[in-house]
Amino acid sequence: MNRPTSSSAPRAAPTSREAIGPGRWGAHPVLSVLLAAVWLLLQESLAPAHILAAAVLGLVVPRLVHGFLGPATRLHKPVVALRFVFIVLWDIVVSNFIVARIVLSPSSDPRPAWVRVPLKLQQPGAITLLATIITTTPGTVSCIVDDERHEILVHALDCADPQALAEQIKQRYEQPLMEIFG
């Protein structure tokens, strides 16, 4: 009696989850698009060779580092994400002028402060993004992400009211991130 071997047994088509699971091509589409876009921005060109290189980087790099990335993060509200990008860019520009004024003005008297920002965010990727946004905005640095206390310790160059700064970070950055990442 011939028994079917595993090689002769019909194989079911992979589900969409299996086709784009961890370690598969296209498992991190947002990262792929960002890598390709950054490559094109750095090249300052839309020449076919640069577009091809961007596509290859966007596909290969996430595939190579998939073990370090964990599961892909899904954006639940892309329109909110786009608006959020402009808010962060605006805050970075405004903060640059404020820090320049503080640094260049001989009469400035900055009041540095340590600010504890309690977190409602649960997703590690969203928390990392929040810490990155805080650090990227001139005048503030996220120093510690405390998983036990579920807060971020932020150092501010000039802060008269630490509680107000914590609330501003929560409303301006954490709330949109909670909407975006669900």
Side-chain angles (χ1 to χ4, degrees):
M1 174 181 214
N2 288 340
R3 292 186 180 188
T5 62
S6 61
S7 61
S8 64
R11 187 173 191 289
T15 65
S16 62
R17 178 80 177 140
E18 291 172 338
I20 308 181
R24 309 280 183 183
W25 295 103
H28 295 274
V30 173
L31 178 60
S32 295
V33 170
L34 285 175
L35 283 171
V38 168
W39 178 260
L40 290 173
L41 287 171
L42 289 171
Q43 297 306 312
E44 296 180 359
S45 168
L46 291 177
H50 292 146
I51 292 172
L52 179 62
V56 169
L57 282 172
L59 290 173
V60 172
V61 171
R63 171 84 168 130
L64 292 174
V65 298
H66 74 273
F68 299 105
L69 298 176
T73 303
R74 294 200 175 264
L75 301 179
H76 294 282
K77 296 189 176 179
V79 174
V80 175
L82 185 61
R83 188 177 74 228
F84 183 64
V85 166
F86 287 111
I87 289 170
V88 171
L89 291 174
W90 175 257
D91 287 352
I92 290 171
V93 170
V94 170
S95 295
N96 270 299
F97 285 111
I98 293 170
V99 169
R101 183 180 44 85
I102 290 170
V103 171
L104 297 175
S105 174
S107 63
S108 71
D109 186 25
R111 297 164 301 235
W114 289 99
V115 180
R116 294 189 181 277
V117 181
L119 297 176
K120 290 182 184 176
L121 281 171
Q122 299 295 319
Q123 301 85 350
I127 293 171
T128 301
L129 184 56
L130 175 62
T132 303
I133 290 167
I134 291 169
T135 299
T136 307
T137 307
T140 56
V141 177
S142 58
C143 296
I144 297 173
V145 177
D146 190 338
D147 291 330
E148 291 177 12
R149 292 184 178 175
H150 211 64
E151 66 184 14
I152 294 182
L153 182 62
V154 176
H155 183 268
L157 175 66
D158 187 25
C159 179
D161 185 359
Q163 185 62 33
L165 179 60
E167 285 302 316
Q168 181 183 14
I169 289 171
K170 291 181 72 53
Q171 290 174 354
R172 198 146 177 95
Y173 302 137
E174 185 185 32
Q175 187 60 41
L177 286 172
M178 288 173 61
E179 288 181 50
I180 293 166
F181 291 100

